[in-house]
Amino acid sequence: MSIWWSLHLRREAASVPLARRLLLGTMETAGVDPDISYDLSVALSEACANAVEHGGGTAQGGLSEAYRVTAYLDGEKCRIEVADSGPGFPSGRARPAIRPACTDAEHGRGLCLIQELADHVHIGNKPGRGGAVVSFDKVLKWKADAPLMPV
């Protein structure tokens, strides 16, 4: 069985825990191992925080622009994508360099954390009108009594 959902969220700090709670609830209901769920929820929070901070300006009427979060639980893998409508990553590079941040840094550690917590990470720009896309996946482990565990 597969599960997927997509959210369009305002670029506001309050949207980050909303996305995280939805992911955790989905994974708990499906029976995913809590450690895997936690890792993916932290990675999602970092990707959402980046979209909120860097994902664009303010739309007409003073409202914050939106960003999109999509999650797929399919078989033994979870794939998450966060896409914004900001300027995207600097062009000229196929993939932005992910450099380790200082351990006491208050900013700049999000992409490093995502890379450490996920199995595969893809970072790039949306084709056409722009915006950044961060997607990552992780192989799932299941609880013994998981109701949606793949056969």
Side-chain angles (χ1 to χ4, degrees), residues 87-149:
F89 294 101
S91 38
R93 286 187 267 168
R95 178 184 169 138
I98 300 176
R99 295 178 304 280
C102 297
T103 55
D104 60 349
E106 291 187 28
H107 299 293
R109 298 184 309 188
L111 293 177
C112 293
L113 280 170
I114 294 168
Q115 191 166 12
E116 290 298 317
L117 295 169
D119 294 331
H120 300 99
V121 179
H122 176 76
I123 299 166
N125 292 326
K126 292 191 296 191
R129 62 183 181 95
V133 178
V134 175
S135 62
F136 50 95
D137 59 60
K138 189 168 184 81
V139 173
L140 298 174
K141 293 180 188 171
W142 299 85
K143 295 187 229 175
D145 60 345
L148 299 179
M149 182 170 61

Side-chain angles (χ1 to χ4, degrees), residues 19-146:
R20 182 177 177 146
R21 283 192 297 265
L22 181 58
L23 179 67
L24 285 169
T26 301
M27 294 184 140
E28 181 180 355
T29 300
V32 174
D33 178 83
D35 291 335
I36 299 295
S37 298
Y38 178 77
D39 286 353
L40 285 169
S41 73
V42 171
L44 173 62
S45 295
E46 293 297 331
C48 290
N50 283 345
V52 168
E53 185 173 345
H54 306 291
T58 303
Q60 290 182 354
L63 296 175
S64 297
E65 291 181 354
Y67 68 100
R68 187 188 76 238
V69 176
T70 307
Y72 306 89
L73 277 78
D74 192 18
E76 295 184 5
K77 184 167 64 171
C78 177
R79 179 171 187 82
I80 298 171
E81 180 180 286
V82 177
D84 65 43
S85 56
F89 294 101
S91 38
R93 286 187 267 168
R95 178 184 169 138
I98 300 176
R99 295 178 304 280
C102 297
T103 55
D104 60 349
E106 291 187 28
H107 299 293
R109 298 184 309 188
L111 293 177
C112 293
L113 280 170
I114 294 168
Q115 191 166 12
E116 290 298 317
L117 295 169
D119 294 331
H120 300 99
V121 179
H122 176 76
I123 299 166
N125 292 326
K126 292 191 296 191
R129 62 183 181 95
V133 178
V134 175
S135 62
F136 50 95
D137 59 60
K138 189 168 184 81
V139 173
L140 298 174
K141 293 180 188 171
W142 299 85
K143 295 187 229 175
D145 60 345

Side-chain angles (χ1 to χ4, degrees), residues 5-27:
W5 50 260
S6 185
L7 297 171
H8 286 82
L9 300 165
R10 285 188 184 168
R11 282 187 43 249
E12 298 173 353
S15 68
V16 177
L18 174 66
R20 182 177 177 146
R21 283 192 297 265
L22 181 58
L23 179 67
L24 285 169
T26 301
M27 294 184 140

